[in-house]
Amino acid sequence: MTETYDEPSLGRRIVALLIDWVIASLSAVALFGSAGVQFPPAGIRDQLIINGVFVLEVSILLGLVGFSIGKRVMGLRLINPDGRPIGIPRAVLRTVLLSFVIPAIIMTEDKRGLHDLAAGSKVVRA
């Protein structure tokens, strides 16, 4: 990353993720409630549908504007090396890896998880 940005705390990042997850869960129930999807998830089927909605919502927002709803609320944004949003394909890669959890837990010294390294992105304070 060429410019210097403030690194967000892990707490801010976790709260942003939780906000996004709740929004995706409620969106999944609104969209697929007639098919029996419920929150909290009752089984693996519900969890997979919620995860699909999460990946779709977060990827589109991060790819186009550089922040999800949770990141916006917590004053964070996602950037590529030139400071702009990362685009939808890289955002999909990042979000899918994030949903596996382990890539997000393994971090470098500058607080970039494996999902960020794979997508060439960095979470910074907005």
Side-chain angles (χ1 to χ4, degrees):
M1 305 289 154
T2 56
E3 291 186 43
T4 303
Y5 295 96
D6 290 335
E7 290 181 7
S9 68
L10 186 56
R12 273 185 186 274
R13 294 174 69 154
I14 290 171
V15 171
L17 177 63
L18 290 174
I19 291 169
D20 289 334
W21 191 257
V22 169
I23 290 170
S25 298
L26 297 175
S27 297
V29 170
L31 292 170
F32 302 103
S34 61
V37 174
Q38 56 188 348
F39 180 70
I44 190 73
R45 179 181 149 271
D46 289 359
Q47 190 60 53
L48 289 172
I49 290 170
I50 290 169
N51 195 51
V53 171
F54 173 80
V55 168
L56 184 67
E57 283 183 359
V58 171
S59 296
I60 290 171
L61 289 169
L62 288 178
L64 295 178
V65 295
F67 52 81
S68 60
I69 295 168
K71 281 186 177 29
R72 182 67 169 185
V73 167
M74 296 307 298
L76 306 174
R77 65 186 175 114
L78 186 74
I79 59 170
N80 69 20
D82 68 4
R84 295 183 312 166
I86 63 173
I88 291 177
R90 289 170 48 204
V92 169
L93 171 65
R94 181 189 185 276
T95 308
V96 167
L97 290 174
L98 174 65
S99 70
F100 288 121
V101 179
I102 298 299
I105 293 173
I106 300 170
M107 292 187 158
T108 62
E109 287 182 20
D110 66 346
K111 294 193 173 111
R112 292 177 70 202
L114 295 179
H115 62 305
D116 282 321
L117 294 174
S121 61
K122 181 173 178 138
V123 177
V124 296
R125 298 276 309 255

